[in-house]
Amino acid sequence: MPIYIDGFRQWGGGVVDGLRVRADTDALGIRTGRRSPGDPPGLLWERAGDLTEIVGALLVLPAPDQRWAPRLVLGAAPTLWTP
């Protein structure tokens, strides 16, 4: 059974920064957001590496309202079709 710690910071406008830590040498940082208000959230930014590297990258990641913040959706889960 894998053991890890998850944490997140929710920004306004549906943007969320997330952190998953499995060990000091195995961490993942992500930012998710929406293309437009009705769309499902998509992946805006992702980085994997050691904990120090990922925390540092999250700390220097521009706030979502800054003009140089990542906005291009890199990937999104497909919408579930129900009959």
Side-chain angles (χ1 to χ4, degrees), residues 19-43:
L19 174 66
R20 172 168 280 180
V21 181
R22 291 191 181 150
D24 61 346
T25 57
D26 186 7
L28 173 70
I30 63 168
R31 176 172 283 177
T32 61
R34 300 176 190 278
R35 291 181 200 153
S36 61
D39 289 342
L43 184 63

Side-chain angles (χ1 to χ4, degrees), residues 1-79:
M1 180 172 163
I3 298 174
Y4 51 84
I5 298 172
D6 287 333
F8 71 93
R9 176 182 184 179
Q10 189 163 1
W11 298 85
V15 177
V16 177
D17 290 349
L19 174 66
R20 172 168 280 180
V21 181
R22 291 191 181 150
D24 61 346
T25 57
D26 186 7
L28 173 70
I30 63 168
R31 176 172 283 177
T32 61
R34 300 176 190 278
R35 291 181 200 153
S36 61
D39 289 342
L43 184 63
L44 299 174
W45 177 89
E46 179 181 30
R47 178 92 30 101
D50 66 48
L51 179 58
T52 306
E53 176 187 348
I54 302 308
V55 169
L58 282 167
L59 288 173
V60 299
L61 189 62
D65 60 345
Q66 293 181 335
R67 66 185 178 107
W68 54 85
R71 287 186 176 75
L72 177 65
V73 174
L74 303 173
T79 304

